[in-house]
Structure formats: C-alpha cells, structure tokens
DNA sequence: GTTCTAGAAC
DNA sequence: GTTCTAGAAC
C-alpha cells in the first residue's frame, strides 16, 4: 500500500522543529506543550528550565545541552521557559541554525490579568510562583518583554493573543506529522492601539483614543481575518487600502510613542523595517548549477556584502521546505557565524512574501533570462506575472538584455500589484551561469567559468541592493536640504523607510501619472545604480527630443503649452498680443508680477527654454533682447520712474523660449509666493545680456536651475534685507529706496530712464 | 503657470 | 483666531 511506503520512508528524513515558547508565567506554555505532545505523531522533547535539574530548577546551559541532544536525535523540541527577551532566546535560536531544523516561536501573549490569576491559582506547578508575588513577577516580566521577530532567526512566529488563538496553534502543531512543515512567516498578530494611532495619524484623523493597550511590535499579522480589517479600515478613509505596509507607514510614530513604555520594542520595530532583499538561488534550478558550489558562493557573497548594505537584510527564498539549496546555505551560514539578523532563509513564494508570510521585502531579485522577457517558468514567470505588465515596460526602459553575471535594477511602478500588495519597490533582474545544455550560454560544465560568473551575478545583485539602500538612506537628508529634483524621482520609485511612505502615498496617483515624464526629465543625470547594463534604451529615443549635450528635454504639462500654442498660431490670438514680427511676438504676461511685465516670445519651433539655445541662435537672442529693450523704453517713456530688467528663467514653467521684461517695482497682486519672488530675484533669473555673452563665448547658457534658489529666504532686491514672508517683503519693497546692488548696475542689466535719456524721443 | 486649501506659524 | 505657506490638483 502507498501509505505503508510513505511511512517506511518517513523516518529516514526526520524533520525536527525547534519551538521556542514565549510567554509570561501563567501564559500556558507548559499546557501548550503537553497538549501538543499528547496528540502529536512526531517525537517531541520538552525542555523546561524549571524541572531540568532532576525535577528542580536548572540552568540555561542545561537546557541548551538537552535541546541540542534532542535535535541531533531527530526529535522536535519545545523550549518551555519564558524567553521574553531577545537575548534569552538568541542562544536557543542558534541551536537550529546549523541544520535543516526550522526554528519557530509561539508567543503566548495573553492578557496579564489572566496570567496572574493562573499563576496565583496553581499550587503544584514547577515554576512555583504563588500568592501575591505572582502579580509583581508577571507585571515586571511583561514590562520587559520583547516580542520575537523573524530577523532573530525564526522561520515562523505564531502570535496567540486569546485562548482561541492558543487552541488553533495547539491544533496546528498537534497535526504536524514527522514529515510535515508549517509555512514560514509571522502569523496571528493583530494590530494594536499604537499601530492604529499611526494609521490614524497617517490618515490625518486626529481623534484617536490613545490608550495604553499592550504593546506589540511592528508586524501586522497576515491572516486573512485581520488583513481584511486593516484593509477595510483604509478603504473607509482613503484610497490607500491596497498598501499593506501600514505599520511601516508610521514606524517613526510607533517608535516615538513607544519611548518610555517600552523602548526596546521601538528598536525592534525599526529592525523589522530594514530594507530587505529577497532573492532566489541563482542558477541552481533550471540552469542546473551544482548546489554545493552555489551554496558556498552565496554564503561567501553574503558575508562579503553584509557590511556594505547598511541596515539592509538579505533573505534567500525558496518555495519548498525540502529545498536542498536552502538547507545547504543555512548550514554554511551558521558555520560561518553570519549574523542571522542580516541574512536568513525563508520558505515561501517570493511574490507573496508579505501577504502570506508577513515578511517585508522592499526588493526582490528575479532569476531572469537573458532577453529579460516574461514567461519561461519558475521565479521569472512568477515575478513578471505578479508585477503586472508594468514590470515588462519598466524593464525595457532599463535594458534590452542581460548577459550572465550581470544584474539590472528596475524600480516598480506604484500601481504594480507587487508594490501595492507586497510593498516591493524594486525588482533586480539577475542572470547567472547556465549548466543546462537546453538553455542559452551553456557552459558545458566549466565550473571555473561558472563559479566566476555566479560570483559576479551575486555581486551585481547585492551591489544593486546596496545602491538602493544607500539611496534610501540619503533620501531624508536630500529632502531636508531641499536639493529637490533628483530626490523626487527617487522618491516615487523607492518608498521604503518608514515615514517616507506617508508623503508618497498621498501623491501616488499623481506621481504615477507623471512618472514617464519624470523619468525622461531626469534621464541624463540619474544614477543607474552603477551596474552593468547591456543595452540602454537611450539609442531608441527620438533624437529630436535630445539636447546637444545628450540630456533629455523636459516634459511639459498641458498648462505649460499656452505660450507654445500662441507662438505657433499668433494670428489666432491677435487680441492678446502687443506686437507680431517675423520671429517674435510680444504680449503682456497674463499674471504680471510687476507694474509692467511683458514677454518677448520667440516663434521658432524647437526652442523651448534656455537649455535648448545654442550658438546658432545668438541672432534670435539679440533680436529678442532688442525687442524687449524697445518695449522697456516705451514704458519708460510713459513712466520714467520705472526700472526694467530683461532676462530668462533658468527653468521656465511655460514652453517656448520667452524673455521677461519686467519692471523692478514688483508691485502686483499676482506676486504671491516665494517662488514668484525668487524666480526674478535670484540667480535663477538669467539676465539677457549675460545669456548672450555666454552663448557667444561658450555656445551655451549657464543655467542656475537648483530648486534651492526658488525656496531661498526672501531678500529685498535693493538693500538685500531679509524678510519673513511675502506680505512683509512686499511691504518693504514698496518703500525701499536703496540703490540697486552694484552687480545689477553693471553691464546694462538694468534699464532705466537715466541710462537712455535722449534716445527715445 | 494658477487655484485651492490644510495645516503650520503666529 | 488669523495669516501665510506649501503641496495637490489642474
């Protein structure tokens, strides 16, 4: 009979599991073990510190020894002691790290009241905790408790917060036959009040009762029941229900709130929030690379990179508990004492790590094919499927193909299901060596070459991840310093670290809409994570959208087209124009920022801003300047007290090259904000005379396009005094009679009635 | 580019 | 309470 065959082969591969119970006295640890052992078909040993010394309390060392022997015997082990802090647990976790043993935690996180009353009631219990002492012991322990996290080295953590949860866990472990495994990940934890506060703050709803409920860590449990609750909570409030990472959203809040009551938990929260790369074993599946050799290389490369990835974590993932590569790597990593916080293995589907395993990974690696095409099978097909067509798109933007030993980092779109459901922000495609004659680039068992390529592949993969970690670590700083632009692009691609999420979620849709435009806009300057890319898509780009220096033209929003339309069809807008000549039209600025403010607009197609201007356009610049000057003089004729300045914005908001001719009174109800002021009164404003000089001397204009300029403090353009806000500034400039700075008086940058007294009659 | 408005700053 | 800014939306 088949059943018999199954049983006969069973004992050959015992699959022990080390279960570390975590709970206060009276939480029911011993009862849990007893119930499971009563019903289980697998051999269990319960290691209890209270009885290990011949029925009396023993030492931790005795427990470790006893557990180790039992595991080596192929038995599964319960560690029945409180294990409430991480340090206590760590040595027990290590027992399981060198073998195929799964290490589980069962957290009996029941109400303190219940634990106390049980402790008081019991008389013959091994722990012998009785009477009034019980309450204070339990309370002290619970105050110090640190809930376990996957990064401590656990494969699975089950949280029980009610007696019902305990019952379910007992059933799950009782039913665990000698050959069975339980899924990896975090299970059963409910979001607590603190996290709710975070969510509510995130949703900008202030009325949250802050009550000191029991403190939990940052993992939101991933059973369907509670996930549903969280999701519906989001749905009710805003359209962000699909983002699972709600604990992460406000990790900063959780930390802040936790200070004082349980600082240690706060630290754990941030650990679990670490950037994490989940990667499949490269080349060992379809490419048939030797597992033993691959495992060595993985562990080598992990060790090499573990200190290059900041607080990042690496997780080797495989689908099956029986995975040979997983157990090989796990054993080798333990041998080399690799920090289990930095690197661990996980059994699960790499496309569902958060939703079914509670494991948050912001980056996942794909064992890609050289064409970077979806399909095939295995991880590649799964990831392309899970990510949606957008990954294919985004991948094509980065590279056309990949040669063995290389990797390419692809940011995921915010609308990709992998992002919305799993919190994955980047996929790194990596191609390893192939030992399968049926596949391209067959190495014909040349393991010299093969190992070299596999090393390169992991190096490229981890370096890609390290770049993401570095970029994210820099982000808050970049933002704060207002360095603007570049960080914006990165922001919408890589949301991982806690409170960043908050900002981006709210503009998710918007960013998604403008994403393609943005990537074009910053194409020239963006760091591609320093990896080897096979083919850039750059060659394919329409050359007419490129600048002489190779950078991309900026993308113009619909509202930015008005001047362009006007320049293309001036006859349609005759009523709005002051002048139409051969290459130029002149018009009043629709929102003048001063008493007199006109635009000299070039009609030439293809010149949208200063960056487009080259030597050959000098004639046109001069013409624009002359026309501008003519209008300035005309206005001076009407009002000799005015002073004019002619110039361009380094980065205009409206398409089609236009020269501002603006009186220096800045007396206008349309001048409303810092940007308005600074765009005319910092280096962002490029004087026409200087632009013409630069074009004739260097063939291009110097752009002062740093966003910092537009958010600079407000200073009077005459006396340079600083002012706290626009109204105060405007009030000052309305009466400031100081002479203009010397710089503006030079080289004809300012145009006034005195400088041209007689010519205009 | 502007308008609108939440919420920060006062 | 009012003023002002900055970010979203267009």
């Amino acid at each position: 009979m088949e059943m018999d065959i199954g049983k006969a082969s069973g004992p050959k591969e015992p699959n022990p599991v080390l279960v570390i119970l975590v709970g206060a006295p009276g939480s029911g640890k011993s009862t849990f073990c007893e119930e499971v052992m009563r019903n289980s078909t697998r051999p269990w040993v319960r290691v209890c510190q209270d009885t290990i010394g011949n029925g009396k309390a023993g030492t931790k060392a005795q427990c470790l020894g006893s557990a180790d022997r039992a595991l080596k015997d192929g038995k599964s082990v319960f560690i029945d002691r409180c294990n409430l802090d991480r340090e206590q647990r760590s040595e027990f976790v290590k027992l399981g790290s060198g073998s195929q043993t799964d290490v589980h935690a069962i957290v009996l996180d029941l109400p303190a009241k219940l634990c106390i009353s049980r402790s008081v009631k019991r008389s013959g219990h091994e722990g012998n905790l009785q009477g009034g002492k019980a309450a204070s012991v339990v309370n002290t322990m619970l105050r110090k408790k640190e809930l376990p996290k996957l990064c401590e080295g656990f494969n699975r953590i089950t949280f029980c917060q009610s007696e019902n949860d305990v019952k379910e866990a007992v059933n799950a472990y009782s039913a665990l036959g000698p050959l069975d495994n339980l899924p990896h990940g975090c299970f059963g934890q409910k979001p607590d009040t603190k996290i709710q506060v975070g969510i509510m703050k995130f949703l900008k709803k202030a009325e949250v009762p802050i009550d000191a409920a029991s403190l939990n860590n940052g993992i939101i449990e991933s059973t369907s029941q509670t996930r549903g609750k969280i999701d519906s909570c989001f749905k009710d409030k805003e359209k962000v229900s699909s983002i699972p990472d709600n604990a992460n959203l406000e990790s900063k809040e959780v930390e802040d709130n936790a200070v004082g009551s349980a600082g240690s938990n706060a630290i754990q929260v941030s650990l679990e929030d670490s950037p994490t790369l989940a990667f499949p074993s490269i080349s060992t599946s379809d490419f048939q690379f030797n597992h033993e050799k691959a495992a060595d290389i993985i562990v080598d490369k992990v060790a090499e990179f573990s200190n290059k990835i900041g607080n990042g974590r690496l997780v080797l993932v495989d689908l099956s508990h029986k995975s040979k590569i997983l157990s090989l790597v796990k054993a080798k990593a333990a041998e080399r004492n690799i920090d289990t916080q930095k690197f661990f293995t996980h059994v699960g589907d790499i496309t569902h790590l958060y939703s079914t395993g509670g494991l948050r990974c912001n980056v996942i690696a794909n064992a890609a094919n050289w064409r970077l095409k979806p399909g095939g099978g295995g991880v590649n097909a799964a990831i392309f499927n899970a990510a949606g067509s957008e990954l294919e798109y985004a991948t094509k933007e980065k590279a056309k193909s990949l040669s063995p030993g290389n990797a390419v980092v692809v940011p995921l779109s915010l609308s990709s299901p992998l992002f919305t459901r799993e919190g994955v922000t980047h996929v790194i495609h990596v191609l390893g060596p192939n030992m399968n004659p049926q596949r391209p680039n067959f190495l014909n068992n040349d393991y010299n070459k093969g190992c070299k390529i596999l090393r390169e592949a992991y190096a490229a993969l981890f370096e890609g991840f390290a770049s993401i970690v570095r970029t994210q670590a820099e982000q808050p700083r970049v933002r704060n310093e207002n360095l603007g632009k570049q960080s914006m692009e990165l922001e919408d691609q890589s949301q991982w670290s806690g409170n960043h999420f908050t900002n981006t979620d709210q503009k998710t849709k918007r960013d998604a809409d403008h994403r393609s435009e943005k990537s074009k806009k910053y194409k020239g300057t963006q760091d591609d994570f320093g990896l080897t890319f096979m083919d850039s898509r750059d060659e394919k780009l329409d050359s007419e959208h490129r600048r002489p220096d190779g950078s991309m033209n900026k993308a113009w929003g619909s509202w930015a087209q008005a001047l362009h339309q006007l320049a293309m069809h001036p006859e349609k807008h005759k009523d709005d124009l002051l002048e139409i000549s051969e290459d130029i039209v002149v018009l009043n600025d629709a929102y003048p920022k001063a008493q007199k403010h006109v635009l000299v607009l070039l009609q030439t197609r293809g010149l949208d801003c200063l960056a487009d201007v080259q030597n050959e356009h000098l004639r046109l610049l001069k013409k624009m300047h002359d026309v501008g000057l003519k209008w300035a003089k005309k206005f001076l004729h009407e009002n000799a007290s005015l002073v004019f300045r002619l110039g361009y914005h380094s980065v205009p908001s409206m398409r089609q090259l236009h020269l501002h001719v603006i009186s220096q009174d800045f007396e206008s109800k349309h001048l409303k904000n810092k940007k308005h002021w600074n765009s005319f009164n910092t280096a962002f404003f490029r004087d026409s005379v200087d632009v013409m000089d630069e074009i004739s001397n260097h063939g291009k204009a110097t752009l002062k396009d740093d966003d910092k300029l537009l958010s600079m403090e407000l200073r009077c353009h005459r006396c340079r005094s600083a002012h706290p806000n626009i109204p105060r500034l405007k009030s000052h400039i309305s009466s400031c009679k100081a002479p203009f700075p010397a710089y503006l008086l030079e080289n004809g940058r300012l145009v006034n009635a005195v400088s041209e007294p007689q010519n205009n009659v």
Side-chain angles (χ1 to χ4, degrees):
Chain A
M1 279 195 319
E2 273 180 30
M3 285 284 283
D4 288 334
I5 295 164
K7 271 184 187 165
S9 63
K12 278 186 201 161
E13 294 180 51
N15 207 353
V17 54
L18 172 62
V19 179
I20 297 173
L21 288 136
V22 177
S27 59
K29 297 183 297 294
S30 301
T31 314
F32 186 98
C33 301
E34 282 158 12
E35 285 188 24
V36 172
M37 290 165 80
R38 196 162 46 235
N39 301 311
S40 176
T41 56
R42 69 162 59 204
W44 284 98
V45 168
R46 169 176 163 242
V47 174
C48 174
Q49 192 161 345
D50 292 333
T51 57
I52 199 163
N54 282 328
K56 292 184 180 166
T59 63
K60 188 177 173 191
Q62 285 177 300
C63 294
L64 285 164
S66 168
D68 196 31
R69 282 190 299 278
L71 288 172
K72 287 190 171 128
D73 238 14
K75 290 172 179 155
S76 293
V77 174
F78 281 121
I79 306 294
D80 178 4
R81 56 204 293 282
C82 295
N83 298 310
L84 280 169
D85 69 68
R86 185 184 185 128
E87 209 181 309
Q88 283 177 19
R89 292 188 290 264
S90 66
E91 287 178 75
F92 290 95
V93 173
K94 275 186 201 151
L95 288 179
S97 58
S99 57
Q100 265 185 277
T101 312
D102 261 9
V103 184
H104 295 187
I106 293 176
V107 184
L108 300 172
D109 193 18
L110 297 159
K113 254 197 259 173
L114 183 64
C115 300
I116 294 166
S117 72
R118 280 179 186 164
S119 298
V120 172
K121 272 182 210 156
R122 73 175 111 188
S123 51
H125 184 265
E126 297 130 353
N128 205 21
L129 198 60
Q130 291 169 37
K133 213 177 147 196
S136 75
V137 170
V138 169
N139 281 325
T140 307
M141 286 186 129
L142 287 179
R143 254 201 306 280
K144 289 185 190 161
K145 82 175 172 185
E146 290 172 82
L147 293 175
K149 320 216 99 199
L150 291 175
C151 61
E152 289 175 41
F154 291 106
N155 302 108
R156 177 189 171 92
I157 302 173
T158 310
F159 291 91
C160 302
Q161 286 164 322
S162 68
E163 297 196 62
N164 215 25
D165 292 348
V166 177
K167 228 181 259 172
E168 280 178 24
V170 166
N171 291 341
Y173 279 86
S174 302
L176 195 65
L179 299 173
D180 299 333
N181 286 292
L182 287 171
H184 285 186
C186 266
F187 299 89
Q189 195 180 29
K190 281 134 190 106
D192 65 2
T193 319
K194 279 196 165 11
I195 290 166
Q196 295 291 4
V197 171
I199 292 169
M200 295 311 276
K201 279 195 178 176
F202 162 67
L203 295 169
K204 297 184 175 161
K205 305 285 187 241
E207 64 286 2
V208 183
I210 300 173
D211 88 53
S214 75
L215 184 64
N216 283 313
N217 59 11
I219 305 172
I220 296 275
E221 61 104 18
S222 52
T223 60
S224 54
Q225 192 193 359
T226 314
R227 278 299 294 289
K229 274 185 215 159
I230 296 163
D231 283 353
S232 64
C233 156
F234 272 77
K235 268 177 198 137
D236 289 343
K237 306 295 180 189
E238 278 182 21
K239 287 181 273 175
V240 289
S241 60
S242 51
I243 290 159
D245 215 345
N246 31 31
N248 208 17
L249 296 174
E250 286 287 331
S251 62
K252 181 79 167 47
E253 299 292 345
V254 175
E255 279 178 50
D256 290 345
N257 289 336
V259 170
S261 60
S264 54
N265 254 335
I267 293 159
Q268 285 188 315
V269 167
S270 55
L271 264 171
E272 198 69 10
D273 288 342
S274 304
T276 305
L277 166 71
F279 63 100
S281 169
I282 304 302
S283 291
T284 49
S285 159
D286 193 35
F287 283 179
Q288 301 175 357
F289 199 95
N290 176 282
H291 284 211
E292 189 76 36
K293 290 188 168 78
D296 281 328
I297 290 172
I298 292 173
V299 175
D300 266 8
K301 285 291 159 188
V302 164
E304 185 187 328
F305 274 86
S306 63
N307 53 2
K308 295 184 188 169
I309 51 170
N311 63 337
R313 306 182 299 173
L314 303 170
V315 186
L316 177 67
V317 177
D318 202 349
L319 269 175
S320 161
H321 283 88
K322 292 178 184 136
S323 163
K324 190 178 153 205
I325 189 75
L326 225 56
S327 46
L328 274 171
V329 167
K330 195 176 168 189
K332 286 176 197 285
E335 262 170 42
R336 304 223 349 213
N337 261 328
I338 288 179
D339 186 352
T340 53
Q341 281 179 42
K342 289 254 163 192
F343 173 68
F344 51 95
T345 60
H346 182 90
V347 175
D349 178 347
I350 200 163
T351 64
H352 285 80
L353 292 172
Y354 179 68
S355 58
T356 64
L359 180 65
R360 280 202 287 267
C361 299
N362 58 323
V363 184
I364 62 175
N366 175 33
N369 52 49
W370 76 277
R371 286 184 192 278
L372 292 168
K373 286 270 158 64
V379 172
N380 186 62
I383 289 179
F384 272 102
N385 265 334
S389 55
E390 297 167 38
L391 176 61
E392 215 184 320
Y393 233 63
T395 301
K396 271 185 202 152
E397 290 210 350
K398 284 284 180 189
K400 280 186 209 155
S401 63
L402 199 61
S403 65
N406 286 298
V408 55
V409 177
V410 180
L412 271 183
S413 131
L414 295 174
S415 54
S416 164
L418 264 189
F419 173 73
T420 56
R421 190 187 62 222
E422 308 293 330
V424 176
T425 61
H426 294 76
V427 171
I428 305 180
H429 297 296
V430 51
L431 185 64
N434 170 36
M435 296 299 181
N436 179 350
Q438 312 291 317
R439 299 276 177 267
N441 298 312
F442 172 49
L443 286 175
N444 200 12
N445 267 341
D446 180 351
Y447 270 94
N448 276 337
K449 232 184 226 174
C451 287
K452 184 170 169 278
I453 294 175
L454 191 59
R455 283 175 187 281
E456 287 167 2
Y458 278 108
L461 169 62
F462 295 158
E463 183 48 48
F465 176 59
S467 312
I468 296 171
V469 173
R470 281 196 297 271
T471 308
Q472 284 167 348
E474 280 166 14
Q475 252 175 261
R477 189 173 54 75
V478 171
R479 257 174 84 87
N480 292 343
E481 286 174 5
N482 246 329
L483 289 177
K485 284 193 184 173
Q486 285 216 337
S487 70
M488 279 170 61
E489 167 70 354
L490 293 165
E491 248 182 71
D492 72 5
Q493 294 177 355
S494 27
Q495 328 307 326
W496 186 249
S497 54
N499 29 6
H500 258 330
F501 244 108
T502 315
N503 297 323
T504 14
D505 287 337
Q506 291 162 351
K507 54 176 187 181
T508 293
K509 186 178 173 298
R510 195 177 138 93
D511 275 0
D513 290 346
H514 293 294
R515 152 173 231 85
S516 60
E517 294 176 357
K518 272 194 188 167
S519 22
K520 274 184 214 157
K521 186 167 170 184
Y522 301 119
K523 184 78 188 174
T525 49
Q526 224 203 313
D527 172 20
D528 278 331
F529 299 105
L531 293 174
T532 318
F533 297 115
M534 298 312 298
D535 296 294
S536 165
R537 70 173 187 132
D538 286 9
E539 301 104 43
K540 293 193 293 184
L541 284 168
D542 191 345
S543 59
E544 88 177 26
H545 292 302
R546 295 190 141 269
R547 295 228 174 88
D549 66 354
S551 68
M552 289 304 299
N553 277 355
K554 91 180 220 176
W556 303 95
S558 56
W559 44 261
Q561 305 285 353
L563 289 180
H564 175 70
Q565 287 308 318
L566 200 143
M568 294 303 113
H569 310 284
E571 68 288 349
K572 288 188 190 165
H573 304 86
K574 267 187 183 151
D575 295 346
D576 302 324
L577 302 176
L578 298 172
E579 174 186 341
I580 306 180
S581 61
E582 195 188 337
D583 300 309
I584 285 167
V585 294
V586 181
L587 65 148
N588 274 314
D589 191 296
Y591 299 90
K593 302 300 185 295
Q595 285 186 50
K596 290 291 176 190
H597 183 184
V598 300
L599 302 178
V600 178
L601 179 65
L602 193 67
Q603 290 196 56
T604 310
R605 194 184 280 276
L607 288 186
D608 288 335
C609 55
L610 270 191
D612 296 332
V613 176
Q614 296 174 65
N615 235 329
E616 67 206 69
H617 306 121
L618 188 58
R619 182 188 63 87
L620 292 170
L621 289 186
K622 283 189 168 150
K623 199 163 178 181
M624 290 171 78
H625 184 84
D626 288 344
V627 172
L629 212 50
K630 182 182 83 184
W631 279 91
K633 287 172 183 170
K634 178 176 152 52
F635 294 136
L636 284 170
H637 210 64
E638 295 160 6
N639 180 352
S641 71
L642 298 176
V643 177
F644 282 91
R645 197 173 169 193
L646 282 64
Y648 301 86
H649 283 156
S650 285
V651 183
S653 296
M654 305 288 270
R655 179 181 178 189
Q656 198 70 25
L657 190 66
H658 54 279
L659 172 72
H660 290 270
V661 178
I662 185 166
S663 63
Q664 297 296 291
D665 49 83
F666 296 107
E667 199 185 302
S668 163
K669 61 174 184 180
H670 297 294
L671 199 160
K672 292 173 175 171
N673 59 45
K674 211 173 228 190
K675 188 176 171 181
H676 290 155
W677 177 257
N678 284 333
S679 70
F680 290 102
N681 291 288
T682 65
F684 185 88
F685 188 83
R686 305 289 298 119
D687 288 282
S688 174
V689 285
D690 294 329
V691 169
M692 290 187 295
D693 279 353
E694 286 162 3
I695 295 287
S696 72
N697 293 334
H698 310 111
K700 63 180 180 184
T702 316
L703 303 183
K704 310 279 184 177
D705 56 354
D706 194 332
D707 277 357
K708 255 197 278 188
L709 288 169
L710 295 178
S711 52
M712 268 170 52
E713 61 184 351
L714 299 166
R715 280 189 181 275
C716 173
H717 58 317
R718 286 172 174 262
C719 72
R720 307 301 302 155
S721 59
H723 299 269
N725 53 47
I726 287 289
R728 298 270 285 274
L729 173 78
K730 287 177 87 169
S731 148
H732 166 82
I733 57 171
S734 69
S735 59
C736 182
K737 296 284 183 283
F740 284 97
Y743 163 79
L744 287 178
L745 296 171
E746 295 163 2
N747 209 15
R749 294 186 178 96
L750 290 181
V751 180
N752 56 30
V754 184
S755 62
E756 303 278 347
Q758 273 93 34
N759 297 353
N760 286 302
V761 187

